[in-house]
């Protein structure tokens, strides 16, 4: 069993920054990352990071968001800069093992003036 615990999030003005953190405990983690879901929309990829360092970003966040990871701690970070109102969503962390994907409870990010 893998536990996924997120922290960070909150309310920020447009153009501001936030950092999300996510720690996974338990089994060997092969990849971690973030998805988000806005009201009335489907959950979408934000950024993922494999254990070998390979990253994948949604086009909408490229150049603004950066995902990084501390492998020793099984912790992944999402630095979000130049935030826009359309980034408002619940952000979910995921942690993959060889057999399945585990999800965190989600953290709200609201970008508003």
């Amino acid at each position: 069993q893998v536990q996924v615990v997120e922290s960070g999030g909150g309310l920020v003005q447009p153009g501001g920054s936030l950092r999300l953190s996510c720690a996974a405990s338990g089994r060997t983690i092969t990849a971690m990352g973030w998805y988000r879901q806005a009201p009335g929309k489907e959950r979408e990829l934000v950024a993922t990071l494999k254990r070998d360092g390979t990253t994948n970003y949604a086009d909408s966040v490229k150049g603004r968001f950066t995902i990084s990871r501390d492998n020793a701690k099984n912790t992944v970070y999402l630095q979000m800069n130049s935030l826009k109102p359309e980034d408002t969503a619940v952000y979910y962390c995921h942690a993959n093992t060889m057999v399945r994907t585990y999800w965190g409870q989600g953290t709200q990010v609201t970008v508003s003036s």
Side-chain angles (χ1 to χ4, degrees):
Q1 188 72 11
V2 174
Q3 292 184 326
V4 180
V5 180
E6 300 140 335
S7 60
L11 173 63
V12 64
Q13 292 186 343
S17 298
L18 282 175
R19 190 176 86 150
L20 305 181
S21 300
C22 174
S25 61
R27 307 183 67 178
T28 301
I29 304 300
T30 59
M32 294 181 71
W34 298 89
Y35 280 65
R36 68 186 180 186
Q37 188 167 18
K41 295 187 177 181
E42 295 185 352
R43 190 174 296 191
E44 63 176 4
L45 168 74
V46 177
T48 60
L49 174 56
K50 294 182 179 179
R51 195 168 182 85
D52 64 2
T54 304
T55 58
N56 186 28
Y57 291 94
D59 287 343
S60 61
V61 307
K62 286 180 180 177
R64 301 188 297 122
F65 292 10
T66 302
I67 190 169
S68 60
R69 180 175 173 177
D70 184 334
N71 283 336
K73 297 181 179 179
N74 272 349
T75 298
V76 65
Y77 306 96
L78 185 67
Q79 179 65 43
M80 305 184 292
N81 298 328
S82 302
L83 283 161
K84 304 175 181 180
E86 51 263 44
D87 294 317
T88 295
V90 178
Y91 284 67
Y92 296 92
C93 178
H94 73 88
N96 297 355
T97 66
M98 293 294 291
V99 295
R100 61 166 287 185
T101 296
Y102 295 84
W103 293 93
Q105 77 283 359
T107 184
Q108 177 70 44
V109 172
T110 302
V111 185
S112 176
S113 55

